[in-house]
Amino acid sequence: CVKSIASALGFSFCGVSTAAYLEEEAPKLETWLNRGYAGKMAYLEKNLDLRLDPRKLVPGAKSVVSLMYNYFPKEELPESGFKISKYAYGEDYHGVIKDLLYEMVSRLREQIGDIQGRVFVDSAPVMERTWAARSGLGWIGKNSLLLNKQSGSYFFLAELILDLELEPDGPIRD
């Protein structure tokens, strides 16, 4: 039901992980921050407990639904002398994807009943690449981006953290 709704709303891929503390990621994140790799992005040092455990962002959370929204344009913009990143061709993706996520939650509630959760599109301390990789949407490449066999890296990531227990997909295995 979750994946069919995601597909109907235009998401390229949808995967599920169990909401849990990211035990393997905690020491990696701490080392990364201690080495100063966050640069001027001091906000990355805040709310580490929330960043590492989605159950602290959504009390009662049982599942993290990771979604991929392809932004590769169907047509190139005419040459104007300016180069514009492909992800910036249309409306601000934060609002576009967030609206789709709210619609997805609404449809889930229609089919399942009263569920609680939150939607995330770069809007909170969520380790989106980690969750996407855990749910089988792709793998994290040497460039630190999530890569997908069909879409490369031309997509936005979004998450639903829900109090709904769903069957986890698991990461891609070589």
Side-chain angles (χ1 to χ4, degrees):
C1 143
V2 171
K3 292 181 181 183
S4 62
I5 293 171
S7 179
L9 290 171
F11 289 100
S12 306
F13 292 91
C14 174
V16 176
S17 301
T18 300
Y21 178 72
L22 294 172
E23 193 170 330
E24 291 177 27
E25 294 301 317
K28 294 176 193 174
L29 178 60
E30 189 174 322
T31 299
W32 188 83
L33 290 169
N34 288 338
R35 289 181 177 168
Y37 292 162
K40 294 181 180 181
M41 298 179 290
Y43 65 89
L44 291 173
E45 297 176 23
K46 297 178 184 176
N47 302 313
L48 288 182
D49 58 332
L50 301 178
R51 195 173 300 283
L52 293 167
D53 194 343
R55 298 168 301 179
K56 294 189 177 197
L57 281 168
V58 178
K62 294 185 176 138
S63 299
V64 177
V65 179
S66 294
L67 299 133
M68 185 182 292
Y69 192 82
N70 190 311
Y71 67 72
F72 194 84
K74 291 179 173 95
E75 297 178 19
E76 292 286 326
L77 288 178
E79 292 215 19
S80 64
F82 296 104
K83 295 222 179 229
I84 299 173
S85 294
K86 288 178 175 40
Y87 78 86
Y89 274 26
E91 293 179 50
D92 182 358
Y93 72 93
H94 296 91
V96 171
I97 295 174
K98 214 171 240 193
D99 288 346
L100 292 171
L101 292 175
Y102 286 127
E103 177 63 23
M104 186 169 175
V105 171
S106 176
R107 291 185 189 187
L108 284 169
R109 285 183 177 136
E110 287 172 9
Q111 292 187 18
I112 296 169
D114 186 32
I115 59 170
Q116 299 302 310
R118 286 180 62 189
V119 304
F120 299 94
V121 183
D122 295 337
S123 57
V126 175
M127 296 186 69
E128 57 191 13
R129 288 174 297 185
T130 300
W131 288 111
R134 280 182 162 225
S135 67
L137 269 62
W139 66 94
I140 298 175
K142 289 180 183 178
N143 61 0
S144 79
L145 296 176
L146 185 84
L147 303 172
N148 176 277
K149 198 171 195 172
Q150 290 82 20
S151 299
S153 61
Y154 286 100
F155 51 80
F156 299 116
L157 292 173
E159 286 75 36
L160 294 174
I161 299 179
L162 304 171
D163 67 353
L164 179 64
E165 193 162 345
L166 298 166
E167 184 70 31
D169 290 305
I172 293 174
R173 300 283 180 214
D174 291 334

